[in-house]
Amino acid sequence: MPVISAPQDFNEDGLFVDLESIFGCPLYLKCEGFNFAGSIKLKAANEMVESAERDGVLTPRSILVESSSGNLGVALSMIAASKGYRFLCVTDSRCNLSTRLLMEALGSQVHVVADLDENGGFLGTRIEYVRGLCESDDRYVWLSQYTNPGNWRAHHRTTAPEIAAHFPRLDVLFVGAGTAGTLMGCARYFRQWHRPVRIVAVDSVGSVAFGGKPGRRMIPGLGMSMRPPLLDESFVDEVIRVEEADTIRTCHRMARRGFLFGGSTGTVVSGATDWLARHDTRGLIAVAIAPDLGERYLDTIYQTNWLQDLYGDLVLDSAPLSTAPTDKSASQEPERRTRP
């Protein structure tokens, strides 16, 4: 049993769930929520903070500030509390109440923006608010998860090698697309691996991360109202977009088997199971990454009134909606890209 003195020193990184008995297809789920921050964002937060400290950007007088829909804000709140920094999280109304209360319990300040940006989301508004703070006071240090290479380096150094160690014959990896940090870190790692791995990005319908028309998105975590600056699509073989109703149904299906996961995980698993249902899976080794657990979603995707108000009375019907593959996707298994 490990003995730690800082909360960021613990992260269970070797747990996988076999989902075949639930969804009828071969899929292993890498669980990233078993740490004191409760999500995969602990890795990126720790990498960005330590890099800023090494570079001298972050000093004892600094005030950390970051735009986050939830999980990164919690991770930075925890690290800031551990290291003695002040932290201000700029979020929006889609951030779960439990997440905001958790950040405040850790001693952080939370500012909630209410105005939509030009793409119908809140990201642009959040970023403008952060920029205004940094221009007004040089004590504010913005790590900028959207542009910080430490975001993807954290997963190149940890998440991808952890998957490779457990599944040396990996064929396909499903990764949710938000800031693209996890996606790019894993994709870059497996591009140089000893065998080709198909990288499938999973995005939310209404996100403009990979282009397309912006739309309403109520579940925080995946999806962007702008193109992620870290994204390099040359590392991505295929993109699948998932309706939020399918995200919700997938979360509830796993919960009925005792696995309570968050909305981001529901999106990734929904996209992965749809992809696997359309391809020959004989002998296929497939892994999806679960960014977080479900406790912070009890008042949203696991709350009947919230679901019915936003998605209607039939949202939990068993018949799934169709995912929306992009033009990189095909109805049959495409020829594998040869890796150098």
Side-chain angles (χ1 to χ4, degrees):
M1 178 179 295
V3 177
I4 63 172
S5 58
Q8 61 268 28
D9 291 341
F10 172 76
N11 190 21
E12 172 54 64
D13 54 25
L15 179 63
F16 293 80
V17 176
D18 185 347
L19 294 179
E20 186 163 14
S21 64
I22 301 176
F23 295 99
C25 56
L27 181 64
Y28 297 99
L29 188 63
K30 186 180 193 309
C31 300
E32 290 283 352
F34 291 98
N35 56 58
F36 283 98
S39 81
I40 197 171
K41 289 293 189 177
L42 175 61
K43 293 176 173 178
N46 204 36
E47 183 84 18
M48 292 189 295
V49 168
E50 290 188 348
S51 178
E53 289 175 331
R54 288 192 302 269
D55 295 343
V57 175
L58 194 54
T59 67
R61 70 183 290 271
S62 299
I63 304 172
L64 278 169
V65 61
E66 187 57 78
S67 159
S68 171
S69 62
N71 282 336
L72 183 73
V74 172
L76 286 173
S77 293
M78 189 193 77
I79 293 172
S82 173
K83 291 176 174 283
Y85 295 118
R86 293 170 60 188
F87 172 56
L88 169 61
C89 180
V90 181
T91 188
D92 59 67
S93 56
R94 292 180 306 175
C95 179
N96 300 324
L97 175 60
S98 58
T99 300
R100 300 202 301 267
L101 294 175
L102 180 53
M103 287 188 281
E104 291 172 348
L106 289 165
S108 298
Q109 291 180 281
V110 179
H111 178 80
V112 181
V113 303
D115 296 331
L116 296 173
D117 61 26
E118 60 184 9
N119 287 321
F122 294 97
L123 180 56
T125 308
R126 295 194 331 232
I127 289 176
E128 284 305 310
Y129 187 86
V130 171
R131 284 176 175 156
L133 286 176
C134 294
E135 291 170 0
S136 68
D137 191 332
D138 64 3
R139 291 177 300 167
Y140 284 104
V141 173
W142 181 24
L143 297 176
S144 184
Q145 62 168 322
Y146 312 106
T147 59
N148 194 320
N151 190 345
W152 69 261
R153 281 201 304 259
H155 303 289
H156 188 275
R157 183 174 58 83
T158 62
T159 309
E162 291 156 9
I163 295 170
H166 282 81
F167 297 97
R169 301 294 298 171
L170 180 68
D171 293 300
V172 58
L173 178 64
F174 299 94
V175 189
T179 63
T182 307
L183 176 62
M184 287 294 96
C186 291
R188 283 188 167 94
Y189 180 91
F190 285 111
R191 175 65 64 89
Q192 299 174 335
W193 208 36
H194 68 89
R195 68 193 306 269
V197 174
R198 188 163 191 82
I199 302 296
V200 180
V202 184
D203 198 10
S204 301
V205 169
S207 165
V208 300
F210 294 89
K213 184 179 179 181
R216 186 189 75 163
R217 292 180 294 112
M218 300 304 299
I219 300 173
L222 298 187
M224 294 272 279
S225 56
M226 68 177 190
R227 180 180 174 85
L230 295 177
L231 178 63
D232 183 343
E233 288 191 62
S234 69
F235 287 93
V236 178
D237 295 294
E238 194 168 339
V239 180
I240 292 179
R241 292 185 175 91
V242 175
E243 295 277 0
E244 287 192 334
D246 283 330
T247 292
I248 292 163
R249 291 167 188 161
T250 300
C251 285
H252 280 256
R253 187 169 177 179
M254 289 188 288
R256 287 195 293 268
R257 299 295 293 271
F259 294 105
L260 194 72
F261 285 106
S264 298
T265 299
T267 301
V268 174
V269 172
S270 178
T273 54
D274 177 84
W275 189 97
L276 292 167
R278 294 184 284 107
H279 293 77
D280 183 359
T281 60
R282 289 172 294 182
L284 191 77
I285 302 297
V287 172
I289 297 175
D292 60 3
L293 302 178
E295 289 91 340
R296 294 173 194 168
Y297 299 83
L298 293 178
D299 57 350
T300 54
I301 63 176
Y302 293 107
Q303 213 282 328
T304 302
N305 290 339
W306 187 88
L307 292 178
Q308 292 177 342
D309 287 346
L310 290 174
Y311 303 98
D313 294 338
L314 303 180
V315 65
L316 293 180
D317 279 5
S318 59
L321 300 174
S322 297
T323 53
T326 68
D327 57 4
K328 285 191 175 187
S329 174
S331 59
Q332 301 296 324
E333 175 72 34
E335 183 179 350
R336 261 188 208 284
R337 179 182 295 171
T338 301
R339 305 298 194 194

